[in-house]
Amino acid sequence: MSDATTVDYDGMIPNNVGLNADPRLRRALERWHPGYLDWWRDRGPEGFQEKLVYLRTAVSVEPEGWAKFGFVRMPEYRWGILLAPAVEDRKIGFGTHKGEPAWQEVPGEYRAMLRRLIVVQGDTEPASVEQQRHLGSTAPSLYDLRNLFQVNVEEARHLWAMVYLLQKYFGRDGREEAEELLSRRSGDRDSPRLLGAFNETTPDWLSFFMFTFFTDRDGKMQLHALSQSGFDPLSRTCRFMLTEEAHHMFVGQSGVGRIIERSCAAMREAGIDDPTDIQRVRALGVVDLPTMQKKANLHFSLTLDLFGSEISTNAANAFNASLKGRYLEDQIDDDHQLLNNTYPVLRLKDGRIVKEDAAALSALNMRLRDDYIADASSAIERWWNRIIARAGFDFRIKLPHVAFNRRIGEFAAIHADPHGNMLGAEEWRRRRDAFLPTTEDNLFIESLMRPVTERGDFASWIAPPRAGIDGMPGNFEYVKLAG
Ligand SMILES: [Fe+2]
Ligand SMILES: [Fe+2]
């Protein structure tokens, strides 16, 4: 068995990267560890740090049975460094270095670019933990509380994954970057997280589920693109992170789905046929569908900004350098160099939104964003709209137009409605409340956020899940709050 599949689970830092044989790296990580724990206690989940939580921990990287479930106090969680098994004789699949053996060391000419890619990805991981830190006190059930903490510890493990790469491969500046990953703060005025959506607040559980649906899905796309990297340690790290990411998306899609399910059932019981009769629906103590649509509009548009500008030389450079590929690059049938290809991009021309062919290399952000939109929209059909249709309501959650509510790229300069019709500033101000959550909407959602901590109970606004975690029964005590 190679060391790629053997996990050393005895040391302070579980790993399959041969940490014991690399004392310099081990010392660097051990020096970073106390600051990390301070960060977790300080900026991680508020309260609950001493409670036993039923969590899964990665103990292997085999597709079968990589996780083990058990009760653990979060600060004692085994945050490990785990790479997916090496692919023997792996060749670089795209860009200038296509066909060359994958790099096991950092290619000198791309050092800065590679470090930046790792730092930007790494920064999002602790950011989301910080954004979600207050949610524990209003969890709608022990099941949901446990899922929140599972997402939190795994995002923190993703931070470890990126810090490992920085400390192992980037010497002193890698160590400095690793420190800075602990010192930036989501939403902080002086030292914010690097990307906009990771400085927004996640004030309630509907926001949390929307965030894991929309924004963790951006994480999935980025990890896919990085898992194609010619830098093999990055590729292997990201491949393993994707197995965890799938659960985060499940939490989001099933969480919103359960809210929709409960709302539809309550409307049926009350004989409400019109789901847009907001006040009557809210009087039932459930979330109305138009508000769900507005929350989706908000989280979708904030997440689109994470894909960057429509036309981007950075994206082209990272692809040319064989550092960041496309979504499922290895399944695309083309030359994987894109020197003469074009890609259709929506742009703002003479005050109108038009589709235009751009050089495929400069349009890579758009391609990833389009892949993201396709992925999100099929998940919405499968997980959300099916529930509404089955309940017999004439209402569908739809993704807004890409020009809607943007702060980055072509459409940052204009206002558009969710259909992509351009609006003047005055009209935008007048109609904005119909598209995005208002203070009143948020106050209503906040009014529903009361903790439910009895085993097997759920808040009135959310349906129980179909199945428990790890096959546990409905009344399982996922978080032991007493003692
Ligand atoms: Fe993550
Ligand atoms: Fe995630």
Side-chain angles (χ1 to χ4, degrees), residues 121 124-125 128 151 154-156 158-159 216 219 223 241 245 248:
Q121 178 61 41
T124 66
E125 314 289 0
S128 66
V151 170
E154 285 178 351
E155 298 303 4
H158 293 176
L159 169 64
D216 280 67
L223 290 177
M241 290 161 77
E245 206 58 52
H248 309 175

Side-chain angles (χ1 to χ4, degrees), residues 163-366:
V163 162
Y164 158 73
L165 293 176
L166 290 168
Q167 294 197 332
K168 164 122 182 139
Y169 296 99
F170 292 88
R172 176 202 286 242
D173 28 333
R175 289 194 293 279
E176 283 168 11
E177 295 283 14
E179 290 305 321
E180 279 169 42
L181 285 168
L182 293 178
S183 69
R184 283 185 288 271
R185 293 279 180 266
S186 176
D188 191 277
R189 193 190 306 227
D190 301 319
S191 179
R193 291 292 171 185
L194 299 176
L195 301 174
F198 291 90
N199 288 302
E200 300 284 330
T201 57
T202 309
D204 57 70
W205 279 77
L206 178 52
S207 304
F208 169 63
F209 292 135
M210 289 286 180
F211 184 96
T212 44
F213 182 90
F214 285 110
T215 308
D216 280 67
R217 191 178 304 274
D218 160 71
K220 166 183 161 180
M221 304 310 287
Q222 302 297 339
L223 290 177
H224 265 288
L226 292 171
S227 74
Q228 303 283 341
S229 183
F231 181 53
D232 205 42
L234 177 61
S235 163
R236 292 174 55 196
T237 299
C238 291
R239 267 193 286 138
F240 185 66
M241 290 161 77
L242 279 165
T243 58
E244 294 164 313
E245 206 58 52
H247 175 68
H248 309 175
M249 244 150 300
F250 163 80
V251 169
Q253 54 212 20
S254 63
V256 173
R258 288 161 50 214
I259 300 177
I260 291 174
E261 187 186 330
R262 182 71 200 105
S263 300
C264 289
M267 286 191 286
R268 278 283 159 255
E269 282 157 29
I272 296 175
D273 293 321
D274 176 8
T276 65
D277 193 344
I278 292 171
Q279 293 319 325
R280 272 187 79 198
V281 176
R282 287 187 180 179
L284 305 172
V286 296
V287 185
D288 54 284
L289 299 181
T291 298
M292 304 290 279
Q293 176 67 63
K294 287 197 219 173
K295 291 291 277 186
N297 289 350
L298 175 67
H299 286 268
F300 177 71
S301 56
L302 286 170
T303 302
L304 289 191
D305 280 343
L306 295 173
F307 290 86
S309 294
E310 282 77 355
I311 300 298
S312 161
T313 32
N314 282 344
N317 291 342
F319 184 88
N320 269 334
S322 306
L323 294 179
K324 183 179 179 184
R326 290 168 291 177
Y327 179 57
L328 305 180
E329 179 78 45
D330 48 4
Q331 295 172 32
I332 299 172
D333 185 19
D334 65 11
D335 72 353
H336 303 280
Q337 292 188 314
L338 307 176
L339 297 176
N340 303 306
N341 304 38
T342 60
Y343 189 82
V345 175
L346 285 183
R347 310 209 55 185
L348 195 61
K349 280 281 151 78
D350 305 322
R352 290 176 43 233
I353 298 171
V354 292
K355 194 173 258 187
E356 201 179 76
D357 276 343
L361 274 175
S362 355
L364 284 164
N365 284 345
M366 276 319 80

